[in-house]
Amino acid sequence: MTMTAQEHKERTARSYKLLLLFAMGSMTMMFAGIVSAFIVSKSREDWMKDFQFPSAFYFSTLMIILCSVTFHLAKKSIQKDNRQATTNFLLLTLALGIGFVLCQLKGFEQLMDQNYFFTGPESNITTTFLYVLATLHLAHLTGGLISLLIIIYNHFKQKYNSTQTLGIELGAMYWHFLDFLWICLFLFLYFFK
């Protein structure tokens, strides 16, 4: 039985989405392991109870939420063949993503200004966990930014339209996952001191 071009396209899309879901599940398990270690370590005597969350992390949280919104709007725009709106939303997503990274780096700077370090004699277990979680999230976000740059490049090469949205859909799925993951980590770290 021969497969039509449409069936091949649908099968390929399902395969890519399944691979992405598998990768996101793996990342979730990694973060779950670190969060479990965080919970167990909280019973240590040197655990900080009065730790103040860096204000830059609040701004970065707002930026990553806005990234998800703009990526969603980019996906909706390309589904309507509105190329200019898609371009605007993709570029805005990129700017907000870079803003998120800069706010995270500012948050690390604020931690160091408060003499909270993740290594060395001045470090403690609480801030080490914070650095590890935020840095791992930043590493995954870097992958998201690279994929976003590829999506923008492909968009400018006119590879997307209302019938071909797979790249933007996959990018949006990953970005929403990063958004959800950061919000969960942020709320966990904020409330579970």
Side-chain angles (χ1 to χ4, degrees):
M1 180 164 103
T2 343
M3 194 181 325
T4 67
Q6 182 62 27
E7 289 171 335
H8 178 69
K9 182 179 169 184
E10 290 170 5
R11 183 176 283 184
T12 301
R14 278 195 309 271
S15 297
Y16 283 139
K17 288 178 182 178
L18 187 59
L19 286 170
L20 180 58
L21 288 171
F22 179 75
M24 292 187 306
S26 298
M27 288 179 234
T28 301
M29 294 305 292
M30 179 188 62
F31 279 101
I34 296 170
V35 166
S36 298
F38 182 99
I39 292 168
V40 169
S41 297
K42 190 176 177 212
S43 62
R44 291 172 48 131
E45 290 180 23
D46 59 346
W47 192 261
M48 291 175 48
K49 306 271 190 252
D50 59 345
F51 174 74
Q52 294 298 314
F53 221 54
S55 62
F57 282 7
Y58 295 99
F59 293 110
S60 67
T61 303
L62 176 63
M63 286 190 177
I64 202 164
I65 290 169
L66 291 174
C67 277
S68 270
V69 171
T70 56
F71 218 141
H72 175 74
L73 293 172
K75 184 176 99 172
K76 290 296 181 192
S77 296
I78 199 63
Q79 289 171 341
K80 296 175 184 171
D81 279 324
N82 187 342
R83 296 196 54 75
Q84 186 58 51
T86 304
T87 300
N88 294 340
F89 287 128
L90 287 173
L91 292 175
L92 187 54
T93 303
L94 179 63
L96 289 166
I98 292 169
F100 174 85
V101 171
L102 294 175
C103 282
Q104 292 283 292
L105 296 175
K106 181 66 175 170
F108 290 157
E109 184 182 309
Q110 289 174 341
L111 287 171
M112 288 186 273
D113 289 345
Q114 297 173 31
N115 294 319
Y116 295 136
F117 301 97
F118 73 100
T119 62
E122 300 92 7
S123 69
N124 66 57
I125 192 69
T126 311
T127 54
T128 299
F129 270 111
L130 177 62
Y131 276 105
V132 167
L133 286 168
T135 302
L136 279 174
H137 188 266
L138 274 175
H140 290 96
L141 190 94
T142 300
L145 287 171
I146 291 168
S147 69
L148 179 57
L149 287 170
I150 292 168
I151 290 167
I152 291 169
Y153 174 78
N154 286 336
H155 174 65
F156 282 123
K157 297 293 263 179
Q158 299 190 8
K159 292 191 177 182
Y160 303 122
N161 57 49
S162 59
T163 62
Q164 171 52 312
T165 62
L166 182 62
I168 293 177
E169 284 181 51
L170 293 171
M173 279 176 63
Y174 185 66
W175 208 270
H176 295 325
F177 166 74
L178 291 173
D179 183 4
F180 178 74
L181 182 63
W182 176 252
I183 291 170
C184 289
L185 290 172
F186 178 84
L187 292 174
F188 175 78
L189 292 168
Y190 184 82
F191 289 110
F192 197 82
K193 293 180 188 175

